[in-house]
Amino acid sequence: MINSLIWFRQDLRISDNPALINAIKNSETVTAIYIYDDSKNIRQLGGASKWWLYYALKDLEKSLKEKYNITLIYRKGSPSKIFEEIIDKVKISNIYWNRLYEPYHTERDEKIKSALKNKNIEVESFNASLLAEPWEVKNGSGNYFKVYTAFYESSLKNHKPREVLKAPNKQDKVLKIKVPSDNLEDWGLRPIKPNWAKPFYPYWKISEEAAQDRLYDFLENAIANYSDNRNFPDIEGTSKLSPYLHFGQISPHQILSVCNFHKETKGIEGIDKYISEVYWREFSYSLMFNFKHMDTKNFRPEFDNFPWDNNDKTLRAWQKGEAGYPIVDAGMRELWSTGWMHNRVRMIVGSLLTKHLLTHWSQGEEWFWNTLVDADLANNSASWQWIAGSGADASPYFRIFNPITQGEKFDPKGNYIRKWVPELKNVPDEYIHKPWEAPLLHNYVKPVISHEQGRNKALESYKKMRNQ
Ligand code: FAD
């Protein structure tokens, strides 16, 4: 009798899930487990991620039960201890999981794998979340790529992604022995008092099916204009699949396969651009896997000497959407109200924080980590370092976004600003990005620092670092 255990992590789906498919194919019974690893050496989930996780797990639990009569067990604690306990009780012979790539997880998983093997448990792990393994995509000298374009071209040329895997048909994989489970409600994943996630609900449907619907909807309605519209935050021009990708409710293989099918059948414009964005995610994972601890260490060591000028007051104003620059404030409020922010605006708010305000990028990374529903160690730390200038293939430090002209360019009518900063709803278009110049009095907060002053301070600091 082969009793298998599948350990779900960031692969909360039943379609295109190699670990689940193999577990079902090779075993008489399958037990599924999700472990909330609260160890100190693992970076703990932020608040918005916990909220998303709750619903993603509820959806997975339902699908597993309906399709395979598999019960999803919930446990909190150290995975190795939990495995020891379950293996003894249930006579598990095989354990399956899909790989994670964060350094915290790879170190832990390696140890668990070898401990299980010593107990004669068969362990199999798979790639379910990346188009190529981060150790596979290498340049001519055998090193990982530090420039996105070269990474992308090499990936397309040399690493054809696998086909999407078909889920086995409805089956009965029930395990008769009862394995103790926590009650998911006891994990406190959803905030109660205050329930800051209340405004999130209208924006998201959190399920595997919703991820697929969103992809089809995006291809039907937005892909043709993606290349242009993706920069305009008042347009629904992007897929908003990032949280689903992070939690593995959809795989990049599924996205690619559906995109390629649309391209062949409808020749839709925008697809290649969209696919190239999905490869930015691959690039971030390659950097994180090969560089390690990108969330705490500057990719460019010269930034270890950068004269940051962290200031709690201006950080707080930035976080609350009260920095005085309407496009920045709109972005920070969109984030607080929905758990997501448009990519163009992420870049503008990131630039203001790290350049005008000279705040270490890790402060922005931390805030995003706690407030984004798509918070992802690879994408978040690579993007923050990119915007701060300390990352791989980064935007040079001396290229400093002007938050006024960025607003004028990407939100010309101020629709995005008016949506998220209602205090400015009646300000005429010509002043919407610089309300302090409007002739009529209003109470909107003044900029934390003028663009010119912020820019000069940033450039001086950069010079100081270079002179060291
Ligand atoms: P689409 O335009 O529809 O793109 C499709 C997918 O491609 C995205 O879901 C995402 O997985 C990937 N992608 C797109 N742009 C990027 C990019 N620049 N870098 C990496 N992958 C990309 N993305 C996260 O998923 N998690 C984060 O924690 C995160 N933090 C960020 C922090 C900063 C400061 C910045 C500037 C960007 C960050 N991003 C992060 C990248 C990007 O903003 C989001 O992936 C994107 O806005 C998600 O929206 P979407 O799904 O509609 O994107």
Side-chain angles (χ1 to χ4, degrees), residues 226 238-242 245 274 277-278 280-281 284 340-341 343 346-347 368 372 374-376 379-380 383-384:
Y226 177 75
T238 69
S239 68
K240 289 195 175 166
L241 279 172
S242 46
L245 269 165
Y274 182 65
E277 291 301 319
V278 175
W280 266 103
R281 175 176 177 271
S284 302
W340 186 88
M341 191 198 299
N343 179 58
R346 292 186 200 202
M347 294 196 287
F368 272 29
L372 278 171
D374 66 22
D376 180 277
N379 274 354
N380 201 31
S383 301
W384 271 100

Side-chain angles (χ1 to χ4, degrees), residues 228-235 325-331 334 342 344-345 348 402-421 424 427-434:
D228 296 329
N229 288 353
R230 61 182 287 275
N231 272 311
F232 293 89
D234 69 322
I235 299 177
Y325 288 104
I327 190 82
V328 172
D329 295 345
E334 179 184 30
H342 189 277
R344 166 59 52 184
V345 191
I348 303 172
N402 176 334
I404 305 159
T405 51
Q406 283 285 310
E408 286 167 351
K409 194 163 170 200
F410 296 110
D411 187 26
K413 295 250 164 246
N415 295 336
Y416 177 72
I417 290 173
R418 289 191 179 86
K419 177 171 181 189
W420 296 111
V421 189
L424 294 175
V427 172
D429 290 2
E430 59 184 307
Y431 298 113
I432 190 77
H433 299 287
K434 38 187 178 198

Side-chain angles (χ1 to χ4, degrees), residues 110-258:
E110 271 168 30
K111 284 188 197 142
I112 293 178
K113 203 175 209 175
S114 73
L116 288 168
K117 283 189 168 166
N118 286 340
K119 292 192 158 223
N120 292 326
I121 308 283
E122 287 279 327
V123 182
E124 273 196 80
S125 64
F126 303 85
N127 170 3
S129 59
L130 293 177
L131 296 168
E133 295 288 15
W135 52 85
E136 285 173 358
V137 187
K138 291 268 162 78
N139 63 22
S141 339
N143 290 323
Y144 66 98
F145 285 98
K146 297 176 184 87
V147 175
Y148 164 75
T149 315
F151 171 88
Y152 177 52
E153 284 167 1
S154 171
S155 299
L156 287 189
K157 194 163 149 223
N158 304 317
H159 302 279
K160 193 174 174 319
R162 64 162 171 77
E163 299 287 316
V164 170
L165 308 170
K166 272 189 94 164
N169 294 332
K170 208 170 163 94
Q171 292 185 23
D172 199 347
K173 290 285 171 184
V174 67
L175 176 78
K176 300 282 185 271
I177 306 163
K178 204 161 161 39
V179 182
S181 172
D182 294 352
N183 183 351
L184 185 60
E185 309 305 322
D186 296 341
W187 285 2
L189 296 177
R190 290 177 302 167
I192 300 172
K193 272 186 193 163
N195 182 4
W196 46 260
K198 204 169 166 210
F200 289 10
Y201 288 88
Y203 294 97
W204 303 106
K205 261 190 172 167
I206 306 175
S207 68
E208 185 176 347
E209 194 183 347
Q212 296 182 5
D213 288 348
R214 200 175 266 269
L215 174 62
Y216 286 118
D217 189 54
F218 169 70
L219 290 173
E220 207 53 45
N221 299 309
I223 191 84
N225 299 312
Y226 177 75
S227 305
D228 296 329
N229 288 353
R230 61 182 287 275
N231 272 311
F232 293 89
D234 69 322
I235 299 177
E236 284 283 327
T238 69
S239 68
K240 289 195 175 166
L241 279 172
S242 46
Y244 302 95
L245 269 165
H246 171 76
F247 285 96
Q249 293 172 292
I250 195 163
S251 72
H253 309 86
Q254 289 172 304
I255 294 182
L256 220 66
S257 154
V258 175

Side-chain angles (χ1 to χ4, degrees), residues 256-267:
L256 220 66
S257 154
V258 175
C259 281
N260 285 333
F261 180 74
H262 272 246
K263 197 168 151 187
E264 279 162 27
T265 51
K266 302 193 177 172

